[in-house]
């Protein structure tokens, strides 16, 4: 999904991931876990997270609300009916995502924008993920340049059509994504690995892929890098 179609080819287009790159999604999950346990108890919360992981394995991306739908269906089959389940989605929809942006995230986007257009490029569903981008302020910060796919690394042709550029910079917390995109775009892509969140700190996952072109410890560190201007 995207909000704008560009009229010219940029020298450099910055593609920026959301979860654990600009926004501390591990903390969002921790807050949701605490909320579920406090409201429904540990057993019910554990059943939800089991469904959550099953659905993530099937889809290839996180779908909180889809997991809630399946969890509710399974609870109904078990003969359980709790009207509070209807309020679980409200916790997610109304969550204060702006409070979970990493320090320096918005400043980093402003810095990059001086060198070329910034584009949110995220995996996710078509309901909750756009809501997260909007409520966090990232939609406005990128002037509506938002792309959300099931597997973004498989959508490079579409990305290029939406935001044509001579060169691309991809900023992500997953080396797997960066490596897959580098294999296709080659020297046209500069990869930036942000060592934030549990994926980026998984030694086994990191060892499975070649290092990124640039590695930073936190998103705010981007303000120390200069890129060719548009």
């Amino acid at each position: 999904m995207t909000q704008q179609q560009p009229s010219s080819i940029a020298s450099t287009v910055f593609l920026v991931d959301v979860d654990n790159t600009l926004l501390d999604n591990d903390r969002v999950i921790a807050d949701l876990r605490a909320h579920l346990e406090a409201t429904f108890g540990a057993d019910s919360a554990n059943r939800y997270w089991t469904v959550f992981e099953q659905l993530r394995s099937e889809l290839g991306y996180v779908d909180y609300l889809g997991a809630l739908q399946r969890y509710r269906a399974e609870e109904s089959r078990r003969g359980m009916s709790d009207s509070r389940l209807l309020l679980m989605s409200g916790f997610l929809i109304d969550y204060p995502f702006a409070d979970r942006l990493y320090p320096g995230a918005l400043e980093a986007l402003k810095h990059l924008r001086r060198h070329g257009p910034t584009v949110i490029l995220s995996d996710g569903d078509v309901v909750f993920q756009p809501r997260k981008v909007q409520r966090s302020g990232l939609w406005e910060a990128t002037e509506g340049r938002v792309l959300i796919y099931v597997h973004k690394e498989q959508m490079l042709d579409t990305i290029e059509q939406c935001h044509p550029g001579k060169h691309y910079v991809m900023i992500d917390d997953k080396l797997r994504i960066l490596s897959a995109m580098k294999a296709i775009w080659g020297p046209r892509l500069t990869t930036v690995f942000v060592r934030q969140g549990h994926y980026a700190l998984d030694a086994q996952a990191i060892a499975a892929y070649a290092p990124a072109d640039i590695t930073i410890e936190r998103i705010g560190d981007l303000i120390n890098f200069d890129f060719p201007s548009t």
Side-chain angles (χ1 to χ4, degrees):
M1 58 185 299
T2 183
Q3 290 296 104
Q4 298 181 1
Q5 296 297 328
S7 58
S8 61
I9 299 177
S11 293
T12 304
V13 176
F14 296 92
L15 307 171
V16 193
D17 178 52
V18 174
D19 293 339
N20 288 337
T21 299
L22 292 167
L23 185 147
D24 189 348
N25 202 61
D26 286 351
R27 189 169 176 185
V28 174
I29 291 177
D31 288 345
L32 176 59
R33 186 181 300 275
H35 171 74
L36 293 178
E37 290 182 1
T39 305
F40 301 98
D43 289 343
S44 293
N46 288 337
R47 288 197 298 273
Y48 170 82
W49 291 113
T50 297
V51 171
F52 176 90
E53 292 298 339
Q54 289 172 346
L55 192 59
R56 174 159 61 177
S57 178
E58 293 172 16
L59 299 177
Y61 63 86
V62 168
D63 186 353
Y64 299 91
L65 299 182
L68 175 58
Q69 288 277 75
R70 182 176 293 186
Y71 170 76
R72 185 175 67 171
E74 292 188 1
E75 291 293 277
S76 296
R77 286 194 293 271
R78 294 175 62 247
M80 305 294 290
S81 179
D82 191 336
S83 62
R84 294 176 301 172
L85 281 171
L86 302 177
L87 300 177
M88 286 174 63
S89 61
F91 177 85
L92 291 169
I93 295 298
D94 297 330
Y95 188 88
F97 290 104
D99 295 341
R100 295 295 174 257
L101 290 176
Y102 283 113
L106 295 179
E107 291 78 4
L109 289 176
K110 290 178 182 178
H111 174 74
L112 296 177
R113 185 65 187 91
R114 290 197 289 268
H115 301 284
T118 52
V119 180
I120 292 296
L121 178 59
S122 176
D123 292 333
D125 69 286
V126 298
V127 176
F128 181 65
Q129 196 67 6
R131 177 72 171 175
K132 180 191 295 184
V133 173
Q134 182 182 36
R135 283 186 59 82
S136 64
L138 296 174
W139 194 290
E140 182 178 0
T142 55
E143 300 171 310
R145 292 182 295 273
V146 177
L147 298 172
I148 298 174
Y149 301 115
V150 174
H151 298 292
K152 61 191 177 188
E153 72 276 16
Q154 299 175 8
M155 304 298 295
L156 300 195
D157 288 344
T158 302
I159 293 167
E160 190 167 3
Q161 291 173 8
C162 292
H163 300 284
K166 297 177 183 178
H167 190 82
Y168 291 88
V169 176
M170 181 68 211
I171 303 160
D172 205 296
D173 67 298
K174 299 181 185 66
L175 271 181
R176 175 183 62 82
I177 298 292
L178 296 173
S179 296
M181 294 178 66
K182 188 75 170 183
I184 297 171
W185 269 343
R188 290 188 62 203
L189 177 69
T190 296
T191 55
V192 179
F193 178 46
V194 190
R195 285 176 46 84
Q196 298 172 159
H198 68 282
Y199 288 112
L201 300 177
D202 185 332
Q204 183 175 358
I206 293 173
Y209 301 98
D213 296 317
I214 298 171
T215 296
I216 58 178
E217 294 301 315
R218 56 191 63 84
I219 191 67
D221 292 344
L222 278 177
I223 64 173
N224 299 319
F225 288 84
D226 286 322
F227 297 88
S229 299
T230 301

